[in-house]
Amino acid sequence: MKIRGSTRVVGVFGWPVGHSCSPQMQNAALAELGLDWVYVAFAVPPAKLAEAVSGVRALGMPGVNVTIPHKQAMVELVDELDESAAVLGAVNTVCCMEDWLIGYNTDGAGLVRSLAEAGEEVAGRRVALFGAGGSARAVAWALAEAGVEALSVINRTPQKAVDVAALVNQATGRQVAEPHPLSDPANRDIVAASDIIVDTTDVGMHPQTEVPPIVPPDWLQPGHVVCDITYNPRDTVLLRAARARGARTVEGLGMLVHQGAIALEMWTGETAPVATMCRALEEALSEQGEPP
Ligand code: ATR
C-alpha cells in the first residue's frame, strides 16, 4: 500500500481501539479493490468524540466506523440517521456526503448477510434468539426487517427481552417478536420449533470458553441452523454441541466481516471482496493470539 497525496482516509473511532482488527480487514479489501484509500484506527476519548466528528467533516473523510464506547453518543453527532441507527439508538457506521453525515447501524444486517452467505435466507423462518443486549437488539431488528416469520427473544433478565421484543414489534409494525425468560420451560419447545437459533450472549466467550452452552445440547437437532455471534473463540461450546447433534452451524466471524463489508460498500460504492476480508480477519485474529 502506498500513501500518496491523493490517498483518502477512512477508519474506526473507538476507545480503546488498539485491539481492533478492522484495519487489517478493511485495508485488505481496499487493496484488492485497487483503491487509493487507507483505513486507520483512531483512539478517540469520549470527551473528544464531537471534535473527532468535526474532523471527519473538516478533512472530507468518506466515513468512519464507530465502536465501543461511542455507538450511542454518535447518534447525537450526525446530521441524519438511517432507520437502522434511529431504531437501535446506536451508530456503527458514518457516511460523509459533502459535509452531511449519515449514521447507520450495519451490525444486524451483517448477521443476515452472513446467514445468507451460508445459504440460509431468514425470510419466512422461525428464529430463537438468545440474549437481549446491544448486539441482540441489532440482530433482532434486522431479522424482523428481513422478514422472519417468528422471533422468540430469550434472556436471563426478562425485562430486557420484553424491551427488545417491543422495539422490534413497534419498529416493524407487526407482532413478530415474543419475549421469554431464560428460565421459561416453554423454551425447549420454542427451540424445537425454530429453524434458526442465534446466540448473542457472552456465554462461551473467551476466557470462559468451557462452560455449558446457553442452549442445552439435547434441545438441538439435525435441521437446526445454529449461529453464535461470538468470534473469540470461533468454534464456541454451542457450535461444537450443535455439530455433535447434527445441526448446521454458522460462526460469528461472518457477522463481523459482513458488517464491515456493508460499510465499505456504502463508502466506496464497490462490491466488498468478502473472502479477502475474511482471510485478513482470520490472520489478524491469529496474530493477536486468538484461537483459530
Ligand atoms: P452485547 O453488546 O455484546 O450484546 P451486552 O449488552 O452486555 O453485550 O449483552 C450481553 C447479553 O448476554 C445479555 O443479554 C446478557 O443477559 P442479561 O441481559 O441477563 O445480562 C447475556 N448474558 C451474559 N452472560 C450470561 C450468562 N452467564 N447467562 C445468560 N445470559 C448471559
Side-chain angles (χ1 to χ4, degrees):
M1 181 195 304
K2 270 200 183 131
I3 308 283
R4 308 176 178 85
S6 53
T7 303
R8 304 200 71 190
V9 180
V10 282
V12 54
F13 288 178
W15 179 259
V17 78
H19 63 280
S20 172
C21 293
S22 293
Q24 290 96 316
M25 178 174 80
Q26 297 286 11
N27 284 315
L30 293 168
E32 172 143 342
L33 291 170
L35 292 172
D36 182 16
W37 291 39
V38 64
Y39 184 105
V40 186
F42 295 100
V44 179
K48 302 267 177 147
L49 182 63
E51 282 178 65
V53 172
S54 299
V56 173
R57 296 179 205 275
L59 301 172
M61 292 170 67
V64 284
N65 285 136
V66 183
T67 188
I68 294 166
H70 300 316
K71 289 184 183 188
Q72 284 81 23
M74 191 57 96
V75 166
E76 305 298 332
L77 297 173
V78 293
D79 302 305
E80 186 182 330
L81 290 174
D82 175 66
E83 193 189 357
S84 55
V87 166
L88 299 170
V91 168
N92 82 335
T93 302
V94 175
C95 292
C96 185
M97 317 267 186
E98 313 211 345
D99 212 28
W100 187 258
L101 300 187
I102 308 176
Y104 298 81
N105 193 309
T106 69
D107 283 330
L111 179 83
V112 170
R113 252 175 69 158
S114 152
L115 286 168
E117 190 187 30
E120 302 295 341
E121 296 297 336
V122 299
R125 315 283 293 277
R126 304 181 68 82
V127 180
L129 176 74
F130 286 82
S135 307
R137 282 158 66 95
V139 164
W141 180 75
L143 287 168
E145 277 289 301
V148 295
E149 183 188 298
L151 180 68
S152 300
V153 182
I154 301 164
N155 196 49
R156 180 178 60 183
T157 307
Q159 187 58 44
K160 284 165 71 180
V162 170
D163 294 346
V164 170
L167 175 111
V168 166
N169 291 340
Q170 199 195 356
T172 59
R174 57 190 187 108
Q175 292 300 305
V176 61
E178 208 178 74
H180 293 273
L182 185 59
S183 56
D184 191 341
N187 291 338
R188 186 187 188 120
D189 292 337
I190 289 168
V191 167
S194 295
D195 305 302
I196 302 173
I197 295 141
V198 182
D199 181 9
T200 69
T201 71
D202 301 343
V203 178
M205 198 183 278
H206 180 79
Q208 288 190 295
T209 55
E210 301 310 315
V211 293
I214 191 91
V215 188
D218 62 347
W219 293 9
L220 300 171
Q221 64 209 25
H224 276 149
V225 178
V226 179
C227 177
D228 194 329
I229 73 163
T230 295
Y231 55 88
N232 180 15
R234 284 173 69 175
D235 202 21
T236 64
V237 65
L238 175 64
L239 295 184
R240 282 183 270 135
R243 263 200 321 275
R245 297 281 301 171
R248 273 205 79 191
T249 56
V250 178
E251 59 179 31
L253 205 70
M255 174 174 168
L256 187 61
V257 169
H258 280 283
Q259 60 79 31
I262 299 168
L264 183 81
E265 291 178 357
M266 290 194 296
W267 296 328
T268 65
E270 306 276 348
T271 301
V274 171
T276 297
M277 294 173 80
C278 193
R279 269 197 306 277
L281 189 57
E282 285 171 355
E283 223 177 276
L285 287 170
S286 69
E287 271 169 22
Q288 279 189 357
E290 311 296 5

